[in-house]
Amino acid sequence: APSATPRDHARALQLFEQIEKERRGDAQLQNLIGALRAELAERRRLEEKTRDEARRADDAEHKLDALKAIEKNLMEREQRPRRP
């Protein structure tokens, strides 16, 4: 599920392992479990990538805000009258 937590993912893997042990001779079920494991692994990889990209975007936004503050400070300094 899209809102699944890491705990949910771990539970799903446990259930896959349990079913695999119980139904070793069922090739179709083994194939289905393999496909579900692959889908879960891909989902986890994409979720991690999304979190990393969001973190990088936040970092970039903080840096941009800092640069804007520096630029504003420099512009204010230039506008101040100079003392003779």
Side-chain angles (χ1 to χ4, degrees):
S3 62
T5 65
R7 186 176 184 177
D8 294 331
H9 292 171
R11 178 70 178 136
L13 289 174
Q14 288 175 343
L15 291 173
F16 292 155
E17 289 175 12
Q18 181 182 351
I19 294 169
E20 283 178 323
K21 289 176 185 175
E22 293 172 358
R23 307 279 302 266
R24 289 212 185 270
D26 191 339
Q28 288 180 334
L29 185 60
Q30 297 295 324
N31 289 338
L32 175 61
I33 289 172
L36 290 172
R37 278 180 188 257
E39 192 274 334
L40 180 60
E42 180 67 6
R43 179 180 302 269
R44 291 175 77 183
R45 185 188 71 77
L46 291 173
E47 287 172 354
E48 182 64 29
K49 183 178 177 183
T50 301
R51 280 191 296 274
D52 288 346
E53 288 176 1
R55 208 174 299 124
R56 281 196 300 270
D58 286 344
D59 289 345
E61 189 163 345
H62 287 251
K63 289 177 183 177
L64 179 59
D65 289 343
L67 287 172
K68 286 179 181 179
I70 291 169
E71 181 180 31
K72 182 179 176 183
N73 188 325
L74 289 173
M75 290 173 66
E76 288 173 355
R77 281 186 187 178
E78 289 176 0
Q79 291 177 357
R80 289 182 195 155
R82 295 186 180 175
R83 297 180 195 169

